[in-house]
């Protein structure tokens, strides 16, 4: 049983919950950028949460069912249709053989997730089916004509038809963070929590680069070079430009710029769904 990719939008990748445990070998975890939305998609189709699905940037995906399949779409609310008929977001969808699921462009958020009952059963690399855009490890980027095998269908059945989800905001989001290991390299690290930042167009699965919208700039107190050190998911690294970068799923495992703060794990998904131009405010967590 397969699904056929007929069209992709700006970017579509196969993802699961990542490949932790390979830092010693220079390999990052990758995995779904918005983990909560990914898990929800799998739960809707009664998959184990770690089964591989499709992460879709902004929308534009078209897939065709080779045989009957059960799917769900979560994350950024890309308008979905099955053979031209609108269907619900975060709901259980049944595709008969030959039917097409189409995703339009999402009006809010950045990443949508498509789960297929049985999971995408491509060959795992280092224990994961995630594509890492930084290293290139994992399944190739999805392209029209790809035929994706579906794994064995779980014994248990979906037990809900849809999941009520909070609408993704298009206005400024508040993100909680704690001061990082190199906050003392800045004249006043609390400046990070003042005013408002905006997500730059230079944003991808590696990290969300931020531009200053309102408030004072970040100024270094220590200008010497920093020895390379480990980087965690959610680290806010500040390069010489003064534009912070919030590291996301495909972040490098080491870096040489100071980390002024680290986003709480619970808020990393929100950063991953913030689209270019959207405002972010940081609130200091204690």
């Amino acid at each position: 049983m397969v699904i056929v990719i007929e069209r992709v939008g700006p970017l579509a990748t196969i993802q699961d919950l990542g490949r932790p445990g390979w830092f010693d070998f220079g390999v990052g975890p990758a995995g779904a950028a918005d983990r909560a939305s990914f898990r929800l998609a799998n739960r809707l189709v009664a998959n184990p949460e770690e089964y591989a699905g499709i992460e879709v940037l902004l929308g534009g995906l078209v897939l065709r069912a080779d045989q009957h399949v059960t799917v769900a779409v979560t994350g950024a609310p890309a308008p979905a249709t099955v053979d031209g008929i609108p269907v619900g977001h975060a709901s259980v969808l049944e595709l008969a053989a030959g039917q097409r699921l189409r995703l339009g462009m999402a009006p809010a958020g950045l990443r949508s997730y498509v789960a297929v009952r049985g999971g995408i059963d491509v060959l795992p690399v280092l224990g994961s089916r995630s594509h890492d855009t930084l290293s290139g490890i994992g399944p190739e980027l999805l392209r029209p004509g790809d035929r994706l095998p579906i794994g064995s269908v779980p014994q248990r059945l979906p037990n809900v038809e849809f999941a009520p989800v909070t609408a993704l905001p298009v206005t400024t989001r508040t993100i909680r963070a704690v001061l990082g290991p190199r906050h003392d390299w800045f004249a006043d690290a609390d400046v990070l929590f003042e005013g408002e930042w905006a997500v730059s167009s230079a944003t991808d699965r590696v990290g969300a680069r931020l531009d200053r919208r309102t408030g004072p700039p970040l100024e270094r107190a220590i200008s010497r070079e920093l020895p390379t050190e480990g980087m965690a998911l959610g680290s806010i690294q500040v390069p010489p430009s003064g534009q912070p970068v919030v590291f996301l799923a495909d972040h490098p495992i080491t870096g040489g710029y100071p980390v002024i703060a680290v986003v709480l794990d619970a808020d990393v998904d929100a950063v991953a769904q913030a689209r270019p131009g959207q405002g972010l405010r940081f609130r200091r967590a204690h």
Side-chain angles (χ1 to χ4, degrees):
M1 185 165 62
V2 301
I3 56 171
V4 181
I5 303 299
E6 295 192 344
R7 185 180 302 170
V8 296
L11 180 71
T13 60
I14 297 173
Q15 299 292 338
D16 56 20
L17 290 178
R19 53 178 64 82
W22 293 95
F23 272 38
D24 288 351
F25 297 89
V27 178
D34 177 354
R35 297 156 296 172
S37 294
F38 179 84
R39 288 186 172 103
L40 175 60
N42 268 329
R43 290 202 302 270
L44 281 167
V45 297
N47 281 342
E49 291 183 344
E50 69 273 13
Y51 273 27
I54 301 174
E55 182 179 278
V56 183
L57 181 67
L58 290 174
L61 181 77
V62 180
L63 62 82
R64 185 180 78 249
D66 179 64
Q67 299 179 37
H68 171 266
V69 293
T70 303
V71 302
V73 182
T74 61
T81 63
V82 173
D83 282 357
I85 299 174
V87 293
H89 183 68
S91 62
V92 178
L93 309 174
E94 304 290 346
L95 304 184
Q99 286 193 309
R100 290 174 173 82
L101 172 69
R102 299 176 184 267
L103 300 186
M105 291 297 171
L110 201 56
R111 296 175 170 93
S112 301
Y113 294 90
V114 180
V116 182
R117 183 166 163 78
I120 306 297
D121 194 22
V122 296
L123 186 68
V125 178
L126 299 179
S128 170
R129 295 178 171 87
S130 286
H131 175 86
D132 187 328
T133 59
L134 184 64
S135 67
I137 292 174
E140 296 292 329
L141 300 177
L142 293 182
R143 295 179 175 84
D146 285 347
R147 298 174 62 84
L148 304 181
I150 306 304
S152 300
V153 174
Q155 289 187 348
R156 68 189 187 98
L157 297 172
N159 56 15
V160 296
E161 293 184 359
F162 71 95
V165 292
T166 303
L168 292 175
V170 296
T171 54
T172 299
R173 304 202 67 165
T174 298
I175 304 299
R176 296 169 296 171
V178 295
L179 287 178
R182 300 298 177 184
H183 70 274
D184 56 349
W185 280 51
F186 296 86
D188 184 0
D190 285 336
V191 164
L192 178 74
F193 303 96
E194 298 178 15
E196 186 173 310
W197 302 88
V199 179
S200 164
S201 59
T203 289
D204 54 22
R205 281 181 46 86
V206 174
R209 186 177 297 275
L210 307 179
D211 296 324
R212 181 54 105 175
R213 178 173 285 172
T214 63
L218 288 171
E219 297 181 355
R220 289 272 292 269
I222 300 175
S223 59
R224 69 176 184 270
E225 292 188 6
L226 177 70
T228 298
E229 55 190 5
M231 292 291 145
L233 179 69
S235 294
I236 306 175
Q237 190 185 63
V238 185
S241 67
Q243 295 173 280
V245 180
V246 182
F247 279 151
L248 300 177
D250 291 351
H251 68 87
I253 65 172
T254 61
Y257 298 130
V259 172
I260 189 172
V262 180
V263 172
L264 295 192
D265 187 73
D267 286 4
V268 170
D269 290 349
V271 179
Q273 287 290 7
R275 60 201 305 169
Q278 188 168 1
L280 294 182
R281 288 182 180 271
F282 290 106
R283 178 165 64 84
R284 186 169 175 175
H286 298 282

